[in-house]
């Protein structure tokens, strides 16, 4: 369950406390009962910021998602609304799907250098920290995230340009590794969920 080295991410809470989101105490205090739109509300301005290539404002937004997921208690993150985690997942898929677009400026730079903008790297890092958590992992398994990232990675190799940057490679490996650990920890719950879905499918037939 490792993550990229971080220092601090200070955040003022409504009650006046100033907490560091890279600490368990700070992340847990920020999330509270998890029943507020801390992801979707922060994503509202992202389309505009991405069009303007405002990396300085995009990075803290994506870093917030990773910081909280990396530091908080598992039982606290389990209460985060599924709609919020889905919002992050859908956004990430949309961002990395755009790398297939030959007219995408980021795609041209990626194919040439193997690197992506700092904000997209921050988004990728936040994904693999979220994979620590079973509720996010379950949504990923029902999504097109892995197939999207596979196309993203293969685009560079197909151009005979070699591997992506070390930062991208480490994030992808971390994402898969955290997913494997989460699966191992929650193996019984996963089996029960699959059994329930199979029973439901049979009933529908």
């Amino acid at each position: 369950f490792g993550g990229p080295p971080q220092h601090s991410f200070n955040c003022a809470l409504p009650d006046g406390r100033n907490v560091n989101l890279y600490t368990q105490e700070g992340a847990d205090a920020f999330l509270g009962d998890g029943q507020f739109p801390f992801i979707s509300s922060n994503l509202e301005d992202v389309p505009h910021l991405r069009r303007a290539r405002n990396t300085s404002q995009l990075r803290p937004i994506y870093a917030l998602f990773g910081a909280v997921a990396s530091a908080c208690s598992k039982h606290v993150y389990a209460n985060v609304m599924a709609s919020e985690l889905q919002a992050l997942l859908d956004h990430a898929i949309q961002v990395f799907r755009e790398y297939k677009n030959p007219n995408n400026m980021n795609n041209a730079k990626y194919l040439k250098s193997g690197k992506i903008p700092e904000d997209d790297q921050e988004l990728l890092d936040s994904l693999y920290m979220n994979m620590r958590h079973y509720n996010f992992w379950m949504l990923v398994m029902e999504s097109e995230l892995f197939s999207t990232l596979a196309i993203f990675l293969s685009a560079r190799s197909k151009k005979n340009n070699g591997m992506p940057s070390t930062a991208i490679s480490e994030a992808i490996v971390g994402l898969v590794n955290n997913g494997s650990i989460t699966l191992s920890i929650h193996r019984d719950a996963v089996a029960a969920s699959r059994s329930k879905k199979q029973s439901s499918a049979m009933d529908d037939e």
Side-chain angles (χ1 to χ4, degrees):
F1 288 114
Q6 304 290 357
H7 301 288
S8 64
F9 193 123
N10 295 321
C11 177
L13 301 182
D15 62 9
R17 285 181 296 164
N18 195 297
V19 299
N20 179 4
L21 298 183
Y22 281 119
T23 66
Q24 181 173 309
E25 179 183 5
D28 286 355
F30 173 81
L31 286 174
D33 63 4
Q35 300 299 297
F36 73 104
F38 76 97
I39 293 177
S40 59
S41 61
N42 277 288
L43 287 176
E44 287 179 356
D45 291 333
V46 164
H48 167 71
L49 294 174
R50 291 190 67 85
R51 285 193 296 270
R53 295 310 312 153
N54 195 329
T55 298
S56 64
Q57 291 190 45
L58 284 167
R59 283 197 70 187
I61 293 173
Y62 294 148
L64 166 67
F65 306 150
V68 173
S70 68
C72 72
S73 304
K74 295 290 185 63
H75 71 276
V76 172
Y77 212 74
N79 294 323
V80 174
M81 294 184 291
S83 58
E84 289 302 289
L85 300 181
Q86 189 68 55
L88 171 58
L89 186 55
D90 290 345
H91 176 67
I93 291 172
Q94 180 182 5
V95 166
F96 287 99
R97 188 175 282 160
E98 271 297 302
Y99 278 86
K100 294 193 303 182
N101 182 354
N103 297 319
N104 185 330
M105 181 175 62
N106 291 337
N107 181 51
K109 292 180 179 179
Y110 167 62
L111 292 178
K112 182 177 180 180
S113 69
K115 298 179 180 180
I116 56 179
E118 291 181 345
D119 48 289
D120 286 358
Q121 183 65 54
E122 198 77 63
L123 175 59
L124 189 59
D125 289 342
S126 76
L127 290 178
Y128 90 79
M129 294 318 305
N130 272 272
M131 283 291 276
R132 298 175 62 238
H133 301 283
Y134 178 64
N135 48 346
F136 186 76
W137 182 92
M138 287 292 288
L139 292 176
V140 169
M141 293 301 103
E142 299 288 337
S143 78
E144 297 181 356
L145 177 64
F146 281 120
S147 61
T148 299
L149 291 177
I151 294 171
F152 162 70
L153 291 173
S154 66
R156 183 167 161 77
S157 62
K158 286 181 179 178
K159 295 292 184 179
N160 296 316
N161 290 327
M163 296 295 290
S165 69
T166 299
I168 293 174
S169 299
E170 289 179 347
I172 298 293
V173 170
L175 192 154
V176 174
N177 184 56
N178 278 359
S180 297
I181 296 173
T182 299
L183 170 61
S184 177
I185 293 173
H186 298 279
R187 189 176 301 277
D188 291 343
V190 172
S193 176
R194 287 175 176 171
S195 178
K196 183 177 180 180
K197 288 181 179 180
Q198 290 173 354
S199 297
S200 177
M202 293 175 63
D203 291 341
D204 291 340
E205 292 177 359

